[in-house]
Structure formats: structure tokens, C-alpha cells
Amino acid sequence: MHLQLNNHLKQWLIKKPCFLSLNCGMAKEATAEMNYDLYRLEKGPPQKTTVNDEDATYILRTMHYIRRMENKIAEMYRMRLINGFCHLYAGQEAVAIGCKMALKDNDNLITAYRCHAFAKLFGGSARMIMAELMGRKTGICKGKGGSMHMYAPNFYGGEGIVGGQVPIGTGLAFAHKYNGIDAVSVSLYGDGAASQGQIYEVWNMSKLWNLPAIYICENNQYAMGTQIHRHSANTKFYTRGDLIPGIKVNGMKVIDVREAVIFARDYAVRNGPIILEVDTYRYYGHSMSDPGVGYRTRDEVKSVQAEQDPILLFTKFVVDNGLKTQNEADEIRKEMYKEVDAEAELAKADPWPELSEITKEVYSKSLEQLRGKSPWEKH
């Protein structure tokens, strides 16, 4: 297909150089600049990298998908379609997406109970996640896990115990090394969990055996509701691993996270454990029972949303660098919102699980085989 150019446009193209960030018959690319703080490292991730149109499309689609999914879940919770614990990820999307983009097929990941975004990134969908939250049989764990316990291939959950996921992730790293697999295990935890004792115990083992482990502290500033300087004597979480090196990352910029995890993965495979602290921010309260404004102001939340929002920052980057037009970015947002809304309606109509599902996948054998009867049958 040949485009017919008018004379004015032809003259403009003659006068202007053809940069990679403009569509001049070449793959569109843009240069992103990053800065990191290092601990026990002479060299860290690169300070410049390229982002292409394919990356931009994936990131925008996925960010909008996760944001809409979490906002829709909040709406469904208020309608009492969802009950129990529910921890939302809106505002922190850059961490999950940047991390997933940097990992390879054999790598695995485990996180805390704020896990919906990771469940989606490792193969779930909004319908599966929402159905899980409503206890439906089409849920990602057949309606048995709820908000805090979701799993997918190479994604080991959602862990309800504060900091309890970090020993499990370390065990997975040990398995990689023991089995000679070229892979890393990523364990994410929050700033509130950073002072849990089991984390320091497994850091010691991880460094002693030089396990291929990446530890990521998602510092969203408030733990359950206590600002970091009030609960931690050392608020530089990336330095708290003693002999384990660390990197501080801007967790509101998806490319910064991606490049940091790429660097950390290579380091962990060759040298052993490494810690990343990603500064981020959650828009909702700690859980749906927390309004989120008793320990911070509404103005603070609005200020972050207006100036540091990860979707806003990345959209500005791709538009300013010619990877997308503003209209194209807006169309991606509308498309993702429409897709998530449709999946939400499907999830609402999905059936409940059968009563016989209660005891399945609890024991290695079925309850009938173990006990000769079922609790839902009269004898």
C-alpha cells in the first residue's frame, strides 16, 4: 500500500530528520532514562534503554486492564457481590507489569495478598479473578481461594500471612539451584512486612547458598496504615539485607522496574540474591474495610494521582516520543475498559460450585477414599 503525500507534507519530511521515535517506515522506538540508588553494587541497571511500539501497546493495554479490573472489583464489593478480605492494586500497576516483562519462562513469582494483578499477568483474566472473588466455580481457584489466594502457572500466590511468602519464594530459588535450572524466584513483600523475622532468616540462607532469588519490597509508604518512618528505623529497605546488594527503583515508572528486574535476574543467576525496593503508592485503603484517609489526606492521594500515576506517566512518555498519539492511547483505554466490563458481567452470571467441591484438592486423595463417606451425604 502506497501513501499519497501532499506537497506540503513532502517538503516537511525533506526538512525534518527521521528519528526512530517517529513513524518514517522504520520500527518506532523511544529512549527512556532511569536513575537508581545502589547498595553494595559497583554497577547497576542501565540509565538509558529503548521502548518500542510493541512494548508501549502491551504496557498501555495491561495497565488499563488491571486498573479497570481493580476499580470494578471495588464497585462490586460495595454492591456486596464480593465479601471477605479484598486488597486492591490500583496505583501499583507499574511494579507488576515491569516485573513480569523482565522474567523468562522458567522463572516463578510469589507475592503477598495484594495479588490480583499478578494472577492476571500469569494467565488469568478479569472474569476468572472476579468470579474467584464472588466464589463462583469459574474462578481462578474454583471459587475456593478468594482475594488473597490466587494461583496460576509459575505464580505461587497470594499468601495471606504477612511476610510468609518470602520463605516459600526462597525455597523455590533453592529448587532452581538444586535442579540446575536456569531460573530465578521472585518474592514480593510490602514495607510493612519488611521487618518480619522470617525474612531475615531466609536472607541469611539465601546469601549463604547464593540462591537465584530476587526480593522485591513494594514500598507503598504506609504498610497497613503506619507511615514508614514510624515503623522502620532504617527506611532504606534496599539496604536491609546486610551482605545482600540492593537497588532502589521508581516503582511508578514501568520501564525503570523492567530494567531493574532484568539486571537483578542476571545478577541473581550468576551471583545469588539481590533486593529491590520499588517506591509506589496504593490508591485504595489497605483493604476494602479501610477508607485509607485516616492516616493520609485526600489531597495527598489526589496529588499522587495527578502527578505520579503510572498510567499517566507512561502515556505522556509514549505520546511525547511519538510511539502513540493521544487518540490512540485513549482508544486503548476505552477498549480495555469495555473488555473488563464485559468480563465482569459474565462473572456475575457464572454458577456457584457444587457442594462436593468443598473437600476436593484439600487432601492427596478424595475424602470418600480416605474416610469412606462425604460430609454432605446422609448415612
Side-chain angles (χ1 to χ4, degrees):
M1 179 180 179
H2 297 283
L3 298 177
Q4 298 296 319
L5 302 178
N6 61 42
N7 289 331
H8 177 75
L9 181 57
K10 287 179 181 177
Q11 291 299 316
W12 186 87
L13 286 173
I14 291 170
K15 294 177 182 178
K16 296 288 182 180
C18 182
F19 294 107
L20 284 176
S21 60
L22 300 175
N23 189 5
C24 301
M26 303 173 67
K28 291 191 286 186
E29 288 185 341
T31 300
E33 297 184 357
M34 302 85 64
N35 288 296
Y36 305 96
D37 294 332
L38 306 180
Y39 171 72
R40 286 188 172 271
L41 287 169
E42 294 182 1
K43 183 180 179 182
Q47 296 194 330
K48 287 187 178 181
T49 191
T50 57
V51 181
N52 59 36
D53 184 63
E54 184 180 354
D55 293 333
T57 301
Y58 170 80
I59 292 168
L60 285 174
R61 287 175 60 87
T62 313
M63 276 188 161
H64 282 301
Y65 187 100
I66 292 171
R67 177 68 59 84
R68 184 61 169 180
M69 179 180 73
E70 294 294 73
N71 289 342
K72 198 73 179 176
I73 288 169
E75 176 188 309
M76 294 163 71
Y77 196 97
R78 295 186 189 105
M79 294 170 64
R80 298 189 177 182
L81 296 172
I82 297 169
N83 298 290
F85 293 106
C86 187
H87 304 83
L88 300 178
Y89 204 70
Q92 300 183 212
E93 296 89 352
V95 180
I97 296 167
C99 186
K100 183 63 173 68
M101 290 179 76
L103 299 182
K104 298 185 179 180
D105 291 343
N106 287 334
D107 298 335
N108 58 255
L109 182 145
I110 188 168
T111 189
Y113 37 71
R114 204 177 304 280
C115 61
H116 306 161
F118 291 97
K120 185 270 180 288
L121 290 169
F122 279 83
S125 66
R127 179 183 182 180
M128 295 167 69
I129 291 163
M130 292 173 179
E132 183 64 33
L133 293 169
M134 291 187 286
R136 306 304 171 89
K137 68 186 297 182
T138 51
I140 197 166
C141 290
K142 301 181 182 179
K144 299 178 183 181
S147 178
M148 296 196 292
H149 304 100
M150 296 186 179
Y151 307 90
N154 289 344
F155 175 53
Y156 286 77
E159 165 64 39
I161 305 300
V162 175
Q165 69 277 14
V166 182
I168 299 171
T170 304
L172 292 165
F174 177 84
H176 291 327
K177 186 162 187 175
Y178 183 84
N179 292 314
I181 298 172
D182 180 20
V184 298
S185 175
V186 180
S187 303
L188 294 104
Y189 57 96
D191 53 285
S195 297
Q196 290 288 317
Q198 68 264 39
I199 293 179
Y200 295 87
E201 294 177 36
V202 295
W203 278 352
N204 178 61
M205 289 187 285
S206 187
K207 182 59 182 174
L208 184 65
W209 299 328
N210 285 327
L211 301 182
I214 301 173
Y215 300 101
I216 300 180
C217 176
E218 289 187 276
N219 180 4
N220 60 23
Q221 314 303 318
Y222 286 100
M224 286 185 67
T226 305
Q227 204 163 7
I228 57 173
H229 72 272
R230 295 180 61 217
H231 69 70
S232 290
N234 178 3
T235 59
K236 295 182 178 180
F237 297 100
Y238 67 105
T239 70
R240 291 172 63 167
D242 191 12
L243 298 179
I244 300 177
I247 306 172
K248 185 171 184 177
V249 186
N250 185 341
M252 304 302 266
K253 293 187 175 182
V254 63
I255 300 303
D256 293 39
V257 177
R258 184 189 73 177
E259 294 304 308
V261 178
I262 289 173
F263 174 89
R265 188 194 183 281
D266 180 64
Y267 181 94
V269 167
R270 293 184 295 107
N271 302 300
I274 187 169
I275 298 169
L276 305 185
E277 175 191 348
V278 289
D279 271 347
T280 184
Y281 198 87
R282 55 171 167 79
Y283 293 161
Y284 288 93
H286 174 71
S287 67
M288 287 301 293
S289 61
D290 167 26
V293 292
Y295 45 86
R296 60 184 186 180
T297 65
R298 286 184 171 86
D299 286 343
E300 178 186 303
V301 178
K302 290 178 181 178
S303 175
V304 173
Q305 291 173 327
E307 299 172 12
Q308 300 177 51
D309 180 77
I311 298 177
L312 180 72
L313 292 177
F314 189 72
T315 301
K316 185 178 187 306
F317 170 78
V318 298
V319 171
D320 287 352
N321 285 276
L323 290 174
K324 301 285 182 189
T325 65
Q326 186 63 55
N327 285 339
E328 288 171 332
D330 290 342
E331 284 303 311
I332 289 174
R333 176 181 55 80
K334 292 175 184 176
E335 180 187 350
M336 292 299 96
Y337 279 29
K338 184 177 180 181
E339 184 175 325
V340 171
D341 289 353
E343 292 193 48
E345 294 308 308
L346 292 172
K348 290 177 187 176
D350 283 341
W352 303 98
E354 292 78 16
L355 189 59
S356 59
E357 277 290 323
I358 290 176
T359 58
K360 287 183 180 178
E361 294 153 341
V362 175
Y363 303 100
S364 60
K365 296 180 180 180
S366 69
L367 201 64
E368 294 90 339
Q369 290 175 297
L370 289 170
R371 299 183 181 178
K373 62 180 181 179
S374 301
W376 53 85
E377 295 176 356
K378 293 183 178 181
H379 295 277

